[in-house]
Amino acid sequence: MKQFTHRLQVATRGKGLYPITREIESWTGDQGIRTGLLTVFIQHTSASLTIQENADPDVVRDLDEFFERLVPENSKWFRHTTEGPDDMPAHIRSALTQTQLTIPLVNAKLALGTWQGIYVFEHRSSPLRRSIVLHLAGE
Amino acid sequence: MKQFTHRLQVATRGKGLYPITREIESWTGDQGIRTGLLTVFIQHTSASLTIQENADPDVVRDLDEFFERLVPENSKWFRHTTEGPDDMPAHIRSALTQTQLTIPLVNAKLALGTWQGIYVFEHRSSPLRRSIVLHLAGE
Amino acid sequence: MKQFTHRLQVATRGKGLYPITREIESWTGDQGIRTGLLTVFIQHTSASLTIQENADPDVVRDLDEFFERLVPENSKWFRHTTEGPDDMPAHIRSALTQTQLTIPLVNAKLALGTWQGIYVFEHRSSPLRRSIVLHLAGE
């Protein structure tokens, strides 16, 4: 089995879901692997990863609003407030979703279902550059 | 290291948790691997995976009811409603749990704890066939 | 590619997050791997794993309090109550976080971001010994 690693930078512009399937499939496809395992790892604790429906854009909007309602800013009991009202909710929203995704590669393609897309889930309000590490093993 | 992949189909009959440990252990055991890594990946965004207690069946019932209460159907603010009242909650419930699980294989056995079982967590109301991809690497 | 496995025991003293980054990095560093994939798997369904900010200790305190509020003990509708008021919430809190984390190894180091730490998230009130399986593949 061979291994490959890669770093992906994603520019976010506030809270919401940012599709990264195309960039990931492009890099993965270039490594010439037929069967293997891809790991996507985000190096942050205030943005996360999720696999969600890629058809109706309302799905990711509703998903973001659900998390906004579940983990509201300015909760009175928050101790960690020095980095802004969106920071502690961002950590909680990250804990409730994923820092890492591992996806099999079968017949030289990621084994995503028809409606599955890979997203960076940004939980902070300001524009940021998010860093993602890809690891592919296979042959 | 060798690699193996397999597709598992699971028929669900409405919301709830469906045990798949036995099918997964059976296929994994057949590959003749002593040490390795198993990845379980579900190809959907309205059903998910979870590892939960396999002893008292009330645990998975309470777990399902918790998600029913946390993400109720017919929330007035949902935009994505065209696929039925259970669809948007299904996407949110999936985002809050797992699309993928990776489990080490040690001494030719999955390293599950005594009370751990692997489940498909169905979030939709109608009967469906769910597709799961298994990837095993090891030797 | 080579493989290594290891068992880590973590003593917890009630609900909260317990850092395990140092123990994991120490064992991983000893295996002489430059590029690879580390999997951390907890063998329980009432304690879980999470990657969180390792700078301000208030972050993990707020995270624990969020889960305490989201999944309160003694909910009247719980069926599973025989193992104590903290047990069913522990299963739900585990389902909402991670049983397993997979982290790439690049240049002989875990690809954690600057502020990322790996934690056992204990959801039960009494002191317990928690068992974690590590699997490292790479070369």
Side-chain angles (χ1 to χ4, degrees), chain C residues 9-75:
Chain C
Q9 299 278 354
V10 178
T12 59
R13 303 166 306 280
K15 294 181 184 181
L17 289 97
Y18 296 82
I20 53 170
T21 316
R22 210 172 306 170
E23 289 89 331
I24 289 175
E25 284 184 334
S26 164
W27 176 77
T28 304
D30 285 349
Q31 312 312 316
I33 295 296
R34 274 202 72 76
T35 305
L37 197 66
L38 174 77
T39 296
V40 186
F41 183 86
I42 191 163
Q43 296 186 299
H44 305 278
T45 61
S46 59
S48 57
L49 298 170
T50 190
I51 290 179
Q52 266 302 323
E53 185 184 298
N54 57 14
D56 179 0
D58 278 346
V59 168
V60 295
R61 277 188 213 118
D62 283 353
L63 190 69
D64 187 56
E65 180 159 351
F66 173 83
F67 278 90
E68 196 68 26
R69 288 164 177 266
L70 184 67
V71 196
E73 296 191 4
N74 299 310
S75 295

Side-chain angles (χ1 to χ4, degrees), chain B residues 52 56 62 65 98 102 111, chain C residues 43 79-80 91 97-98 100:
Chain B
Q52 266 301 323
D56 178 1
D62 283 352
E65 181 160 349
Q98 321 300 325
T102 298
Chain C
Q43 296 186 299
R79 297 164 189 84
H80 176 77
H91 291 305
T97 51
Q98 321 301 324
Q100 155 268 316

Side-chain angles (χ1 to χ4, degrees), chain B residues 21 25 51 103-104 109-118, chain C residues 41 43:
Chain B
T21 317
E25 284 184 333
I51 290 179
I103 307 168
K109 286 189 62 177
L110 283 179
L112 292 169
T114 313
W115 311 110
Q116 286 184 314
I118 310 169
Chain C
F41 183 86
Q43 296 186 299

Side-chain angles (χ1 to χ4, degrees), chain B residues 2-90:
Chain B
K2 297 174 212 156
Q3 292 183 104
F4 308 87
T5 62
H6 183 61
R7 184 179 301 269
L8 204 66
Q9 299 278 354
V10 178
T12 58
R13 303 166 307 278
K15 295 181 186 180
L17 287 96
Y18 297 81
I20 54 171
T21 317
R22 212 174 304 171
E23 290 89 332
I24 289 175
E25 284 184 333
S26 165
W27 176 78
T28 304
D30 285 351
Q31 311 313 315
I33 295 296
R34 276 202 70 76
T35 305
L37 198 66
L38 174 77
T39 297
V40 185
F41 183 86
I42 190 163
Q43 297 187 299
H44 306 278
T45 62
S46 58
S48 56
L49 299 170
T50 190
I51 290 179
Q52 266 301 323
E53 185 185 297
N54 58 12
D56 178 1
D58 279 345
V59 169
V60 296
R61 278 189 213 118
D62 283 352
L63 190 69
D64 188 56
E65 181 160 349
F66 173 83
F67 278 90
E68 196 68 27
R69 291 166 176 264
L70 184 67
V71 197
E73 296 192 3
N74 299 310
S75 295
K76 289 203 185 72
W77 56 267
F78 283 162
R79 299 164 186 83
H80 175 77
T81 54
T82 48
E83 293 177 64
D86 57 330
D87 193 58
M88 193 58 225

Side-chain angles (χ1 to χ4, degrees), chain A residues 108-124:
Chain A
K109 286 190 62 177
L110 283 179
L112 292 168
T114 313
W115 310 111
Q116 285 184 314
I118 309 170
Y119 293 87
V120 169
F121 199 171
E122 178 59 71
H123 304 302
R124 300 223 56 185

